[in-house]
Amino acid sequence: MNRPFLKTFPNFLSLLLCVALGISFAGGALHAQSTPGTQPARAPFQAVFRLDGGDTTYAFGVNERGELQQIYWGGRIGASDTIAPPKSNPDWASFDSSYNNTPQEYAGWGTGLFHEPALKVTFADGNRDLVLHYVSSFRSDEHSLDIMLKDISRAVSVTLHYRIDPATGILARSATIESHEAKPIMIEQAAAAGFALPPAHYTLSYLSGRWAGEFTLNQEAVRPGQRILESRRGSSGHQINPWFAIGKNDAADIVDEEHGEVWFGALAWSGSWRITVEQDQLDAVRVTGGFNPFDFGYPLKSGEKLETPVFYAGYTHNGMGEASRLLNHFTVSNILPEAPNPRPRPVIYNSWEATEFNVTEAGQESLAEKAAALGIDRFVMDDGWFGQRKTDHAGLGDWYVNKEKFPNGLKPLIDKVHSLNMDFGLWVEPEMVNPDSDLYRKHPEWVLNFPGRPRSEERNQLMLNLARQDVRDYVYGFLDKLLTENQIAFLKWDYNRNWSEPGWDQLPPDEQKKVYVQFTRNLYSILAELRVKHPNVEIESCSGGGGRVDLGILHYTDEVWPSDNTDPLDRLTIQDGFTYAYPVQVMMAWVTDSPHWLNQRSTSMAYRMLVSMQGSLGIGANLNKLSDADLSTIKRLTGAYKQVQKTITQGDLYRLISPTNGSEFSATETVSTDKSQAVFFGFVHSTQEGRTFPRLQLLGLDPGAVYTLSSIEGNTVEGTPVVASGAWWMNHGVNLQLKGDFQGAAFRLEKK
């Protein structure tokens, strides 16, 4: 597997020399201290390892028993400060041993561990006890570190991979588990990492949802016991997203958007996953995340390895807003395919609402002409172009161009789109098959199934078992052929159901549960191979909306589809939640028809445009039915958006007023990284009792600079200056003329 930002280049001798001499490295660097001694199995060798990046220090070390123990994770401490080697925590009476009470970096299930283990295995002889001790350390570069652990007697080792980002202090952690036992072992649970926080009052934040209602921010007190965040669905899921934040809420340290200590993290895995947040009996908090152990079993033969996903985590003392800004900048700069400088997303038009399955060459060309007149950059033809795809009952799996709809293939349409100065995109759903398809009739064994059991359909489709090599090769093959034979710039990659009957009867029974890992590995490998062979093709991850949004898929895709729900009022809360975990750069936001199909709510075109302009803008409305006035509004605001798009999508986001919990108002502001431009939006749901829109005190500007205010849409109150200092806009603030139902406004500030 490609492990982003955790490349391993062992340098054992150089690290041992550094440890022995007490050498440290400045910047976002590794520091190693040591108390001289031999390996932990024979004597109390104790080393301390320290990683510094941004405003964060992460420190851990080898305790007197040889276990790898976390010491500190928080604000950056002085380079010359000495961190003492860790000492294991004592027993708590006879019911909680020292092993159970000590915050290990990667704890094996053994020696009376009752907390969530990082690794649980069963050996061929039935032994299930695993105790991991420090063996050695490897430094790949000044920001990276590998630590090898090994069981105290069995030939099972774990290499922990660490890399800290020097700019943000975000730590990337993963593990490689290797067996050299004579007989196979069964891995029953494998985490990427475990993190620990000392006793305090904490608040947990996480994102929940459902289809058409994704990315709802939840906040609750961390209490004794476990809070499980997970997906068992084969993908990251609409229901819970693999992201968390934990804020410290002691009496003198209350967390809000811009204040307070926050620890946060996101798991880079697009399959079934689990994050466990656990307050133990001594009030400490542990966070463990990786593969979901439900229905999980991964056998390792001698010499085989299992690599976990990457678990990214960070710290800030500047509140939830700064936590999201750090993670979002890290994602843009380190994870996206075009990192560190991804291009702003093209403004797209998608044909779905205009045509659904009834696509024709003439109809698509007509839509393309209308889209080009609005300043659109990319024309995307959605479902219905292939096989016998006239409804959602047939055709999935048969990826040939329908000759009735496109007698001469896709080339005439693509040429037409190019002649209009747009590039061309296409919808696909590669991992699915309809029972009514040539592919399924030829290969019914290619779907996930348990022989002799029913095959559950959702949306009239089954899931191909991408874990199989022949299925993987078929999917890659038709996509490669499609992209080779046509000038396609973009794929909207959909995935419209969750798993059922996750059988893989090609393999022996004790190996079939590997399907959960191999399916996702093969998905990643297809995406990676396509990107190498077709480097100019961009890809969107779509899963009926936000069903597969995570840092794993974002290493291979350029954007994601947050929700099938494009109702602008609902989108305010969906987009608000989304931005806690993911950057605006990847958040596609469409303008669609009114009344909206889901809620039957009617809204103005300007309101719909402004909501979508807070993300990467797309148009999905039926252009054949829009009025001239609406078309004019789209064209005008699309032009205005392009002038500020980079600031909106890659700048520093400030959530000024939340749209959640029944708020009448909401507002966001984004400031370019050099503070030369700012864009802010205000929205009112429904004015009540004549209340005016709250004064917006802006954030993130250069207080000593002078900024000029101009309107994108809407007005400020009389007397608002056109030119004022950053200090004025942040301290005095600005009042908007904004009343009524479903109204919006947007403004820009330019540094003089």
Side-chain angles (χ1 to χ4, degrees):
M1 177 197 174
N2 183 318
R3 285 185 283 115
F5 320 111
L6 288 171
K7 297 177 182 176
T8 304
F9 303 100
N11 195 346
F12 180 43
L13 293 177
S14 64
L15 182 67
L16 284 184
L17 179 63
C18 294
V19 171
L21 298 177
I23 296 173
S24 65
F25 301 90
L30 159 69
H31 302 254
Q33 308 164 178
S34 71
T35 300
T38 58
Q39 293 301 312
R42 295 176 291 174
F45 170 84
Q46 292 180 261
V48 170
F49 304 99
R50 170 177 166 176
L51 293 160
D52 289 309
D55 294 326
T56 300
T57 295
Y58 189 89
F60 56 98
V62 183
N63 66 23
E64 77 282 2
R65 291 196 298 256
E67 299 154 357
L68 197 64
Q69 179 176 339
Q70 184 173 318
I71 301 173
Y72 174 79
W73 183 22
R76 189 161 181 163
I77 59 180
S80 62
D81 292 332
T82 299
I83 302 172
K87 180 173 174 43
S88 62
N89 292 339
D91 294 347
W92 187 255
S94 60
F95 292 94
D96 286 296
S97 70
S98 173
Y99 186 84
N100 192 57
N101 296 340
T102 298
Q104 295 187 54
E105 285 286 284
Y106 202 85
W109 188 75
T111 313
L113 182 75
F114 300 108
H115 299 304
E116 190 75 10
L119 182 61
K120 185 178 185 298
V121 306
T122 295
F123 293 89
D125 61 1
N127 171 51
R128 304 190 304 281
D129 187 67
L130 184 73
V131 179
L132 298 171
H133 280 190
Y134 172 85
V135 174
S136 59
S137 317
F138 304 87
R139 180 175 60 85
S140 57
D141 61 46
E142 62 177 335
H143 308 305
S144 303
L145 174 67
D146 287 353
I147 302 286
M148 180 177 284
L149 309 176
K150 182 186 173 298
D151 182 70
I152 54 176
S153 64
R154 296 298 187 103
V156 173
S157 63
V158 180
T159 301
L160 304 182
H161 310 286
Y162 297 80
R163 179 169 177 81
I164 197 163
D165 178 49
T168 64
I170 289 178
L171 185 68
R173 288 187 56 187
S174 68
T176 300
I177 304 152
E178 185 170 359
S179 175
H180 287 280
E181 288 281 291
K183 296 181 179 180
I185 68 170
M186 180 63 72
I187 298 176
E188 299 173 353
Q189 186 166 341
F195 300 93
L197 299 175
H201 294 290
Y202 295 107
T203 296
L204 170 66
S205 299
Y206 61 96
L207 297 168
S208 68
R210 60 183 183 182
W211 176 79
E214 298 90 331
F215 299 104
T216 299
L217 181 67
N218 302 270
Q219 296 184 305
E220 60 190 47
V222 176
R223 302 188 185 282
Q226 290 187 344
R227 184 68 166 93
I228 303 295
L229 310 176
E230 68 172 354
S231 171
R232 301 180 179 185
R233 296 168 177 264
S235 62
S236 38
H238 297 78
Q239 291 70 26
I240 302 287
N241 191 267
W243 167 88
F244 78 93
I246 295 175
K248 187 178 179 183
N249 275 303
D250 286 335
D253 192 4
I254 304 300
V255 173
D256 58 23
E257 270 292 299
E258 301 301 325
H259 306 91
E261 289 190 285
V262 179
W263 294 261
F264 56 92
L267 190 64
W269 185 242
S270 308
S272 295
W273 60 274
R274 186 168 80 175
I275 295 173
T276 302
V277 180
E278 180 176 18
Q279 185 182 67
D280 68 20
Q281 71 286 350
L282 301 179
D283 300 326
V285 173
R286 307 176 188 217
V287 180
T288 308
F291 298 124
N292 195 318
F294 177 79
D295 196 39
F296 184 85
Y298 199 98
L300 283 187
K301 298 175 184 177
S302 182
E304 291 184 337
K305 300 178 181 180
L306 173 63
E307 293 189 3
T308 72
V310 181
F311 200 171
Y312 296 97
Y315 164 84
T316 180
H317 57 269
N318 291 320
M320 291 289 289
E322 182 67 9
S324 63
R325 288 188 289 273
L326 287 171
L327 184 55
N328 294 349
H329 281 306
F330 175 82
T331 301
V332 169
S333 299
N334 295 278
I335 291 181
L336 297 184
E338 293 184 345
N341 296 303
R343 293 165 290 177
R345 308 306 307 137
V347 177
I348 69 137
Y349 178 75
N350 182 284
S351 68
W352 173 253
E353 288 204 2
T355 61
E356 296 191 353
F357 298 102
N358 300 315
V359 298
T360 64
E361 186 175 305
Q364 296 295 297
E365 288 184 353
S366 176
L367 284 169
E369 290 173 348
K370 294 180 174 66
L374 301 176
I376 301 298
D377 303 310
R378 172 171 290 163
F379 181 86
V380 181
M381 180 166 62
D382 211 280
D383 202 348
W385 59 269
F386 57 92
Q388 297 305 307
R389 188 70 165 173
K390 299 174 183 177
T391 68
D392 63 8
H393 288 258
L396 277 178
D398 300 338
W399 297 101
Y400 59 86
V401 178
N402 185 297
K403 291 296 185 179
E404 296 177 15
K405 300 179 179 183
F406 299 92
N408 299 301
L410 297 177
K411 188 176 187 303
L413 173 59
I414 295 173
D415 288 346
K416 175 68 172 180
V417 169
H418 289 166
S419 74
L420 296 167
N421 296 316
M422 297 184 293
D423 65 30
F424 180 79
L426 199 62
W427 180 95
V428 292
E429 193 170 5
E431 299 148 273
M432 305 293 172
V433 64
N434 288 124
D436 185 4
S437 67
D438 295 340
L439 179 67
Y440 186 75
R441 284 184 283 270
K442 183 178 180 180
H443 288 293
E445 76 280 8
W446 276 11
V447 301
L448 291 172
N449 76 96
F450 292 124
R453 304 295 297 175
R455 300 183 177 192
S456 303
E457 296 179 27
E458 296 293 342
R459 200 174 182 253
N460 310 300
Q461 63 196 51
L462 299 167
M463 288 198 60
L464 293 171
N465 182 2
L466 203 61
R468 293 175 58 125
Q469 188 63 34
D470 48 6
V471 174
R472 186 259 180 222
D473 292 344
Y474 170 77
V475 170
Y476 173 79
F478 81 71
L479 288 168
D480 176 48
K481 183 174 186 291
L482 183 67
L483 296 175
T484 299
E485 295 178 352
N486 299 279
Q487 289 185 279
I488 296 170
F490 171 79
L491 292 177
K492 184 178 176 69
W493 185 306
D494 217 338
Y495 176 91
N496 276 309
R497 61 159 295 179
N498 293 135
W499 289 28
S500 61
E501 298 88 44
W504 186 2
D505 62 345
Q506 265 190 319
L507 300 185
D510 64 344
E511 296 186 30
Q512 291 189 19
K513 293 178 182 178
K514 290 169 62 176
V515 67
Y516 289 102
V517 174
Q518 194 58 39
F519 185 108
T520 303
R521 297 277 193 241
N522 279 354
L523 168 65
Y524 290 164
S525 75
I526 291 169
L527 290 165
E529 193 171 344
L530 287 173
R531 297 201 74 100
V532 170
K533 188 168 182 183
H534 306 280
N536 296 321
V537 175
E538 299 167 5
I539 302 173
E540 175 183 284
S541 174
C542 175
S543 177
R548 191 157 65 188
V549 177
D550 57 81
L551 293 186
I553 203 72
L554 280 174
H555 187 54
Y556 305 97
T557 59
D558 303 272
E559 63 190 50
V560 296
W561 181 232
S563 181
D564 281 349
N565 183 358
T566 54
D567 177 282
L569 179 63
D570 288 353
R571 268 296 179 121
L572 287 173
T573 55
I574 291 169
Q575 294 174 183
D576 177 78
F578 182 97
T579 60
Y580 281 94
Y582 304 104
V584 171
Q585 166 76 15
V586 304
M587 184 178 74
M588 295 308 297
W590 287 7
V591 175
T592 56
D593 288 330
S594 179
H596 194 267
W597 56 268
L598 182 63
N599 296 319
Q600 293 302 305
R601 180 181 291 115
S602 296
T603 54
S604 70
M605 180 56 73
Y607 180 79
R608 282 176 273 158
M609 283 291 294
L610 292 175
V611 171
S612 293
M613 287 166 63
Q614 293 177 106
S616 286
L617 178 64
I619 309 297
N622 185 351
L623 301 182
N624 295 324
K625 294 185 177 180
L626 291 181
S627 67
D628 290 343
D630 281 348
L631 292 170
S632 177
T633 299
I634 292 175
K635 183 175 183 178
R636 174 174 59 83
L637 290 178
T638 297
Y641 172 78
K642 289 182 177 182
Q643 295 178 19
V644 294
Q645 180 182 6
K646 187 167 185 180
T647 292
I648 291 172
T649 58
Q650 297 183 13
D652 291 313
L653 174 66
Y654 297 89
R655 291 175 286 267
L656 302 178
I657 303 175
S658 171
T660 60
N661 300 317
S663 173
E664 299 173 40
F665 312 108
S666 67
T668 64
E669 176 201 8
T670 312
V671 182
S672 63
T673 54
D674 64 0
K675 299 185 184 299
S676 66
Q677 185 181 73
V679 184
F680 59 97
F681 295 85
F683 299 93
V684 60
H685 175 288
S686 298
T687 300
Q688 298 181 48
E689 298 175 347
R691 290 188 176 92
T692 58
F693 195 85
R695 177 180 292 179
L696 295 181
Q697 291 177 282
L698 304 182
L699 297 170
L701 302 174
D702 179 351
V706 174
Y707 292 87
T708 301
L709 177 71
S710 61
S711 172
I712 295 172
E713 181 77 9
N715 298 295
T716 58
V717 299
E718 186 176 353
T720 301
V722 173
V723 178
S725 68
W728 168 278
W729 302 118
M730 291 190 291
N731 295 319
H732 180 278
V734 57
N735 287 19
L736 309 184
Q737 286 187 6
L738 201 53
K739 287 187 176 182
D741 297 333
F742 311 120
Q743 298 295 312
F747 301 85
R748 60 189 284 186
L749 289 170
E750 299 285 348
K751 185 188 285 189
K752 293 190 68 176

